[in-house]
Amino acid sequence: MSAAPPRRLRIVCRGVVQGVGFRPAVHRLATALALGGFVRNGPEGVVIEVEGGEGAVHAFVAALSRSLPPLARLDGMDAAPVPVTGEAGFVVLGSEAGARRQALVPPDAALCPACRAEMDDPADRRHRYPFTTCTNCGPRFTLATALPYDRERTSMACFPLCPECAREYADPADRRFHAEPVCCPACGPRLWLQGPGSGVLGRGAEALELARAGLARGVIVAVKGFGGFQLACRADDGAAVAQLRECKRRPTKPFAVMARDLAVARALAVLAPEHDALLSSPRAPVVLAPRRPGASVSPDVAPGLADLGVMLPTTPLHVELFRGAAYDALVMTSGNAGDEPICRGNREALERLAGIADLFLLHDRDVVRRADDSVARAESGGAFLVRRARGYVPEALPLPVRAAAPVLALGGFLQATACLAIGDGAFCSQHVGDLDGEPARAFLAEAVGGLEEFLAARGELIVVDPHPDYPSTWLGETLARERGARLLPVQHHLAHAAAVLAEHGRFPGIGESAAAIALDGTGWGPDGTAWGGEWIGLDGALAWQRLGHLAALPLVGGEAAVREPWRVAAAGLAIAGAADLLPLLPLAALVPPDKLAAVAAMAGQASWPRATGAGRVFEAAGAMLGLAPVNGYEGEAAARLEALAVRAGDVGAWAEVRLPDRPSLPSPALLAAAARRAAAGEDLALVAAGFHATFCRLAVDLTVRAVPAGVRVIALGGGCLVNRILRRDLAAGLTAAGFEPLLPVRVPPGDGGLSYGQAAIGALAAARGVAPVLKGEA
């Protein structure tokens, strides 16, 4: 019997398949099966052709998904027979250029164990080299200028490979085969140290030695990382931390701490095995976890909070900063002043950080795209993202439907991001930040341009927040006008709901409905008031309804009440008929009595804006208990209230606070109940815990009353869902009431996830030929 004829198969692989060692893995598998053919990068992803016996070809297809390198992700694979060519050997071909269709480049990845071992080996040629990398680690997104992802389209293009690196790069059996950032001391980037306004103080190993010595004695060092500059100082040096706060204009907002290794991180914070794994993963975010009593860091690193943000060294340069150092932990925070964007280039850093950093650790590899550290918060069973940037961007998020045309969404005002939806994926930008100043607004435009250039697509439907004063809305209006594109405003809390539903793949289809609870500080309401504590019903045709909300509180002083939550506390107690309690509260020791009385007296005036924001209520409670009468950063009083509540553990809800007949949660009555307890001398931790418990019980009761029968899925979104107590108790209460609560995990609960929700709505609007329509209040 004659042998079966050979066959040849063409396979197109989609997903994170470029820049992650995917082609070497394909080469190894094909060679092991004695197949001929080729593999190459292309605009659609990675293209493979394999030729050989039927069994070997079938075995290749079956084994491919099990043979992926650590950073790769295979989202789809299309295979089709093609004519046999008689090709015997298997080769890696050069990339095919063209407009991106499906190809993705992975996020930056933290230093892998194999590269770390080489850096630790005195006999290795990369011993202590601070730019060591391979296909399993190193910069990707922050390095790439375009796709396909090849060295000539990265900022490593200006570093020609030495013979040794060229051999590794060309050897399919080597870990550095086509590792685009590959380099060594002979051919790679160079490191040097200088001071502001001074020349070079040292190069290479001497620069690192001087930087370590400076950090040990308490100076502030600007360090150029993957996605831009970071500011570092000793975490156990209170004077250095105080100096950094003063120079950075960041009086109380918490700093992240980089620990030498996992053992040190465990000594600083309470970490479960799943949190250890996340810290040690290629994503390597900052993880917010409960601080251990007696942790050897200055109290000023995270004042008034129960959590400490810990991270491990993510780059080879970070590793070298700890090698042989006299310290075990460094504050490692964004290289900027105030809320400006992180510095990217050397000249930019020397100019903008000159009044902050004493030393600058610089190198000559350009950062193409700014990217801050990602932040995740630990909770039982895992962690959820608070800020999505390095290690996660530009990884795609799911859409409820395929985008018929590119959809560009521009987020809100705080924690801004942009999102570009193409095909089946939504690609969120790195964290941009608050849009208070022109530099941040320029960064948002830069991020939009970078997304569109990188993905080779321009938004044809542009989605914005309807708030008329948001710079992101202005940018969207300008782009729509310049392009002749359609502009789609999407209500703030509807976008929060959409983000959670889209993340979980639970957006209702035509004829189906879902509900959401959106809890945040402020979002523009269709009635012109500030919303922020909303129960929303929506259906697959994008018709939506306000089912319930928090009772509105007057913002006496307007915008000042957002910065000074004591005003909301005083006004809330006044409209609850409990203003007489103000002199008896801890707040009275921090705010002059005449000011408290004046705000309480003005609370009933109709001229003040009114807000239903849950964030305002929790901040008011924190101010009332004397935790933060004035916010040093967004949500500080609420964050301190949560930290205080944690100290008391689980307590019961207050029975005397009940829902009124109308579908609203009685915020003034809740504040008054807390004030009565605090004024009577009850332990403030018990008051804070009871406040949380009662809010959650009222929220569940309101859901039972307001959500239509038959609707079981409840999406929980908005910035308040960063609060662990709210996440735990709302989910438990809703589940006990027969609902299916959905919590944000891969997408930040707050406005950092807003653009993703907007993009999901935009994709649905385009696919279903509808627009969001408000049906009115229930």
Side-chain angles (χ1 to χ4, degrees):
M1 180 182 294
S2 61
R7 65 178 300 213
R8 189 177 181 93
L9 203 62
R10 178 183 175 88
I11 306 165
V12 178
C13 299
R14 303 183 304 278
V16 182
V17 290
Q18 294 189 14
V20 291
F22 187 79
R23 289 176 296 169
V26 169
H27 183 277
R28 288 191 294 271
L29 180 60
T31 302
L33 294 169
L35 293 169
F38 67 83
V39 59
R40 73 177 177 210
N41 284 339
E44 63 269 67
V46 167
V47 180
I48 306 166
E49 290 194 12
V50 287
E51 181 174 325
E54 177 78 28
V57 170
H58 178 78
F60 177 89
V61 174
L64 184 57
S65 63
R66 302 192 302 271
S67 306
L68 301 180
L71 300 183
R73 191 187 75 238
L74 190 58
D75 293 338
M77 196 166 61
D78 298 322
V82 291
V84 171
T85 67
E87 196 171 6
F90 193 89
V91 296
V92 178
L93 298 180
S95 297
E96 177 188 4
R100 190 207 82 92
R101 294 196 292 277
Q102 292 290 339
L104 300 178
V105 69
D108 293 356
L111 184 70
C112 72
C115 284
R116 175 65 187 264
E118 291 172 340
M119 292 176 64
D120 292 344
D121 183 359
D124 194 278
R125 68 192 187 93
R126 292 187 175 88
H127 179 51
R128 298 190 176 184
Y129 182 54
F131 303 98
T132 302
T133 184
C134 71
T135 53
N136 297 327
C137 67
R140 298 291 190 274
F141 173 70
T142 57
L143 193 77
T145 57
L147 290 171
Y149 177 68
D150 289 302
R151 192 178 181 92
E152 62 266 26
R153 285 178 284 274
T154 73
S155 58
M156 289 299 293
C158 58
F159 295 96
L161 293 170
C162 69
E164 274 294 293
C165 287
R167 179 193 60 76
E168 294 171 329
Y169 185 87
D171 182 1
D174 196 281
R175 194 176 89 251
R176 293 188 169 90
F177 177 65
H178 278 264
E180 309 308 343
V182 65
C183 58
C184 73
C187 63
R190 298 289 190 269
L191 188 72
W192 69 93
L193 186 77
Q194 67 183 75
S198 70
V200 175
L201 302 174
R203 298 184 184 276
E206 183 188 15
L208 281 164
E209 183 178 349
L210 291 171
R212 285 191 294 263
L215 287 165
R217 67 175 184 269
V219 307
I220 299 167
V221 180
V223 181
K224 190 177 184 181
F226 280 169
F229 279 80
Q230 297 166 303
L231 291 164
C233 72
R234 284 187 68 145
D236 60 355
D237 187 330
V241 173
Q243 178 74 11
L244 180 57
R245 286 203 175 282
E246 181 181 350
C247 294
K248 196 173 156 66
R249 304 194 301 274
R250 186 168 168 167
T252 53
K253 192 173 183 180
F255 288 136
V257 172
M258 181 176 283
R260 176 189 295 276
D261 52 33
L262 195 54
V264 173
R266 289 177 182 142
L268 299 177
V270 179
L271 299 168
E274 57 268 25
H275 309 139
D276 291 352
L278 183 58
L279 281 168
S280 306
S281 73
R283 299 188 189 278
V286 176
V287 174
L288 301 173
R291 175 176 175 160
R292 285 195 184 277
S296 57
V297 298
S298 165
D300 287 338
V301 167
L305 301 181
D307 274 10
L308 189 66
V310 293
M311 63 190 301
L312 296 182
T314 55
T315 74
L317 183 53
H318 291 140
V319 168
E320 292 307 312
L321 281 176
F322 281 99
R323 191 181 297 277
Y327 44 79
D328 283 329
L330 293 171
V331 165
M332 195 67 68
T333 189
S334 305
N336 55 13
D339 290 320
E340 293 178 355
I342 185 173
C343 290
R344 183 178 66 179
N346 292 343
R347 280 194 290 253
E348 178 188 9
L350 287 167
E351 179 181 337
R352 287 175 49 200
L353 304 180
I356 303 175
D358 303 297
L359 296 171
F360 291 78
L361 195 55
L362 307 173
H363 58 75
D364 54 359
R365 183 178 67 197
D366 288 342
V367 175
V368 176
R369 302 172 202 282
R370 305 172 208 266
D372 251 313
D373 293 315
S374 293
V375 179
R377 194 170 194 198
E379 62 181 348
S380 178
F384 60 92
L385 281 179
V386 176
R387 183 168 76 191
R388 191 174 184 270
R390 177 195 52 75
Y392 293 86
V393 172
E395 198 169 77
L397 293 163
L399 286 170
V401 295
R402 184 175 179 81
V407 177
L408 175 64
L410 295 173
F413 182 80
L414 300 175
Q415 305 162 28
T417 61
C419 183
L420 188 60
I422 307 173
D424 296 323
F427 299 86
C428 290
S429 76
Q430 65 274 46
H431 169 80
V432 172
D434 301 348
L435 302 181
D436 287 300
E438 191 53 43
R441 298 168 191 180
F443 182 20
L444 178 63
E446 174 189 308
V448 168
L451 269 181
E452 292 189 325
E453 179 184 12
F454 194 59
L455 299 170
R458 289 208 324 165
E460 297 175 20
L461 172 63
I462 298 177
V463 188
V464 296
D465 192 284
H467 197 297
D469 295 329
Y470 280 1
S472 57
T473 303
W474 303 339
L475 175 61
E477 291 168 345
T478 300
L479 292 175
R481 185 169 57 251
E482 291 174 350
R483 299 176 182 184
R486 178 186 170 197
L487 186 72
L488 178 66
V490 171
Q491 201 277 330
H492 191 93
H493 302 98
L494 180 62
H496 275 312
V500 181
L501 291 167
E503 176 188 342
H504 289 276
R506 301 299 300 275
F507 211 98
I510 297 296
E512 299 175 340
S513 297
I517 304 173
L519 305 174
D520 64 3
T522 301
W524 183 260
D527 58 1
T529 65
W531 289 14
E534 310 304 319
W535 275 250
I536 290 172
L538 69 161
D539 63 28
L542 297 186
W544 65 285
Q545 186 176 25
R546 191 187 198 192
L547 303 173
H549 54 83
L550 269 65
L553 293 172
L555 300 181
V556 178
E559 192 64 31
V562 176
R563 299 187 301 272
E564 302 174 3
W566 69 265
R567 295 173 174 269
V568 183
L573 291 181
I575 64 174
D580 59 308
L581 295 174
L582 283 168
L584 307 177
L585 298 174
L587 174 62
L590 303 171
V591 178
D594 58 329
K595 285 191 171 184
L596 290 173
V599 167
M602 291 187 287
Q605 296 177 5
S607 57
W608 298 117
R610 301 178 76 80
T612 62
R616 301 287 86 84
V617 175
F618 279 84
E619 288 173 354
M624 200 167 62
L625 300 187
L627 302 176
V630 176
N631 279 330
Y633 55 90
E634 184 209 359
E636 179 181 8
R640 288 180 178 242
L641 183 73
E642 180 195 358
L644 182 61
V646 167
R647 286 167 39 189
D650 294 336
V651 301
W654 302 327
E656 75 271 19
V657 188
R658 297 182 178 86
L659 292 181
D661 292 336
R662 59 188 181 279
S664 68
L665 191 152
S667 311
L670 181 58
L671 288 170
R676 281 191 292 272
R677 283 166 168 76
E682 186 172 318
D683 183 277
L684 295 184
L686 290 173
V687 176
F691 187 90
H692 279 80
T694 307
F695 180 92
C696 290
R697 191 256 296 160
L698 292 169
V700 172
D701 290 349
L702 181 54
T703 307
V704 171
R705 180 186 296 184
V707 171
V711 174
R712 309 321 296 165
V713 171
I714 309 289
L716 299 168
C720 293
L721 271 302
V722 169
N723 183 312
R724 278 198 205 96
I725 300 173
L726 292 184
R727 290 173 70 92
R728 180 196 67 202
D729 290 358
L730 285 174
L734 290 168
T735 300
F739 294 102
E740 181 187 354
L742 304 177
L743 286 165
V745 178
R746 291 184 292 159
V747 179
D751 286 3
L754 197 69
S755 65
Y756 171 54
Q758 292 172 337
I761 292 282
L764 282 161
R768 296 177 182 174
V770 295
V773 175
L774 176 61
K775 295 190 294 186
E777 291 199 27

